Amino acid sequence: MAHDYDSTNIFARILRGEIPNKTVMETDHTLAFHDIKPAAPVHVLVIPKGPYVTFDHFAAAASAEEITDFHRTAAAVCALVGVAPGEGYRAITNAGAHGMQEVPHYHLHILGGRVLGRLIERA
Ligand code: AMP
């Protein structure tokens, strides 16, 4: 998969401060904010500030500092919103056409606050 980053995507615009977001947590390398259309009582998106399109792009190309910061922030978000320790949560990321990714800037969904059902429907 090519990883051409489209800097007009909505999360790039959020990072540039062009549109507002409901920030949960922010560090030098990472931003976490509430999903605008929550699919569960807890629905937070964690994004790197760097221009990465998908999980695999980020995991392959980001610096160790970015990768560590991203995951430490995601863990802190889980604690802050009360899902861990707690009743649990699901962390998912969509990539590309088959993953039905809507926004081409890597983001981790953290979902919780209710029983979430099975991971995916069987085809
Ligand atoms: P995905 O389908 O994995 O690319 O998920 C994109 C997510 O971004 C969806 O859950 C949307 O509700 C969410 N989203 C789109 N625009 C915004 C926005 N301006 N602020 C917060 N979340 C957004």
Side-chain angles (χ1 to χ4, degrees):
M1 184 192 285
H3 296 300
D4 293 331
Y5 183 78
D6 172 9
S7 60
T8 66
N9 79 75
I10 197 138
F11 294 169
R13 296 183 61 205
I14 285 175
L15 287 168
R16 288 195 296 268
E18 293 168 10
I19 55 173
N21 73 94
K22 287 189 181 173
T23 299
V24 175
M25 196 171 285
E26 181 169 10
T27 69
D28 285 350
H29 297 295
T30 308
L31 179 67
F33 54 99
H34 292 287
D35 196 292
I36 204 166
K37 205 176 153 193
V42 171
H43 191 168
V44 177
L45 303 174
V46 185
I47 70 172
K49 290 186 175 177
Y52 304 105
V53 182
T54 56
F55 160 75
D56 61 286
H57 185 204
F58 179 69
S63 69
E65 192 177 326
E66 288 174 297
I67 290 171
T68 299
D69 183 80
F70 181 86
H71 290 93
R72 295 274 196 261
T73 303
V77 167
C78 288
L80 185 69
V81 300
V83 295
E87 297 296 314
Y89 63 95
R90 181 168 294 147
I92 55 173
T93 181
N94 300 315
H98 282 188
M100 298 188 73
Q101 181 178 11
E102 290 172 16
V103 180
H105 181 115
Y106 171 47
H107 50 285
L108 188 67
H109 297 254
I110 296 174
L111 296 147
R114 66 170 171 82
V115 175
L116 295 163
R118 296 264 176 209
L119 179 56
I120 56 172
E121 293 169 20
R122 293 183 190 280

